[in-house]
Structure formats: structure tokens, C-alpha cells
């Protein structure tokens, strides 16, 4: 006889199903608590955001102020204390080498979060 008799397996599964159906409601031991309601909200710490714009001629502005490449490095090192996010906005005609150089300066200064700011496409 090469066939497997599945009747005992079905019996065992039905017994296990009945056992779980009986014991499952016992696991729910929640106590109803009426919590007080308040209007206070948690204050989120304000994240520091640096806005860096890179024009097609290579000029750089940091938070609206024109800045040189050497001064940019020192400003980024000073600002990297609070783990800020650097939002980089580059003109589409800016050479990739200039964008990569600014990103390298930011990384060397300790700024690890860089976001690229773009404009949505017109349909």
C-alpha cells in the first residue's frame, strides 16, 4: 500500500483548530483606560537646512549670500555641527564637474545629507 492515509492528519488539524479557537480569546487581556485629552503637541526640533545655489558661470551662493569656493569650505565646516541638510540647486547648464566639486567640499566638511532641488516639468 503506497498511499498515505490523510484522515488522521485532518483529525489532528481539526483538533488544533478547535484548541486555538478556544484559547485565542483568552490572550486578549486589555484593560480599558480613559486617557486624558490635552491640546499640547510635541515640538519637533527644527532641522537646519542650508540652501546652496550653483549658477552656470560657476558662482556659488549659500543661503542667498555670494560666497567663494574657499569660504564655502569653511562655512560648511562651521555649519556641519548640527548635521544639516544641504539643498543643492544647480542651473541645468552648470557643468557636472562644478556640481561634483561642491558635493566633494560638502562631504569633506562633514555634511552628509545632500538634497537636489529641481523644478517640476511643465506639461
Amino acid at each position: 500500500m503506497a498511499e498515505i492515509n490523510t484522515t488522521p492528519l485532518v483529525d489532528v488539524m481539526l483538533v488544533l483548530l478547535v484548541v486555538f479557537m478556544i484559547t485565542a480569546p483568552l490572550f486578549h487581556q486589555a484593560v480599558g483606560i480613559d486617557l486624558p485629552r490635552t491640546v499640547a503637541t510635541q515640538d519637533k526640533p527644527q532641522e537646519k537646512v542650508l540652501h546652496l545655489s550653483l549658477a552656470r558661470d560657476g558662482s556659488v551662493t549659500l543661503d542667498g549670500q555670494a560666497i567663494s569656493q574657499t569660504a564655502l569650505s569653511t562655512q560648511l565646516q562651521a555649519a556641519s555641527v548640527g548635521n544639516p541638510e544641504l539643498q543643492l540647486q544647480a542651473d541645468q547648464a552648470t557643468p557636472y564637474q562644478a556640481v561634483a566639486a561642491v558635493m566633494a567640499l560638502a562631504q569633506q566638511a562633514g555634511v552628509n545629507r545632500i538634497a537636489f532641488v529641481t523644478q517640476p516639468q511643465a506639461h
Side-chain angles (χ1 to χ4, degrees), residues 76-117:
L76 288 176
Q77 284 178 351
S80 68
V81 175
N83 193 17
E85 176 180 297
L86 178 68
Q87 292 185 352
L88 179 60
Q89 184 175 6
D91 190 277
Q92 64 182 358
T94 303
Y96 181 72
Q97 178 63 35
V99 176
V102 168
M103 289 175 55
L105 277 176
Q107 184 181 19
Q108 289 171 357
V111 178
N112 297 323
R113 299 179 344 169
I114 300 174
F116 293 98
V117 179

Side-chain angles (χ1 to χ4, degrees), residues 48 50 62 67-81 105-106 108-111:
K48 189 173 183 184
L50 302 171
L62 181 64
I67 192 168
S68 67
Q69 293 280 348
T70 55
L72 176 65
S73 178
T74 57
Q75 288 279 48
L76 288 176
Q77 284 178 351
S80 68
V81 175
L105 277 176
Q108 289 171 357
V111 178

Side-chain angles (χ1 to χ4, degrees), residues 10 18 20 23 26 35 85 106 111:
V10 172
V18 170
F20 283 123
T23 59
L26 300 176
L35 295 175
E85 176 180 297
V111 178

Side-chain angles (χ1 to χ4, degrees), residues 27-44:
F27 292 129
H28 183 68
Q29 298 176 0
V31 176
I33 298 175
D34 189 21
L35 295 175
R37 305 212 186 281
T38 63
V39 293
T41 59
Q42 288 183 344
D43 289 334
K44 290 186 207 175

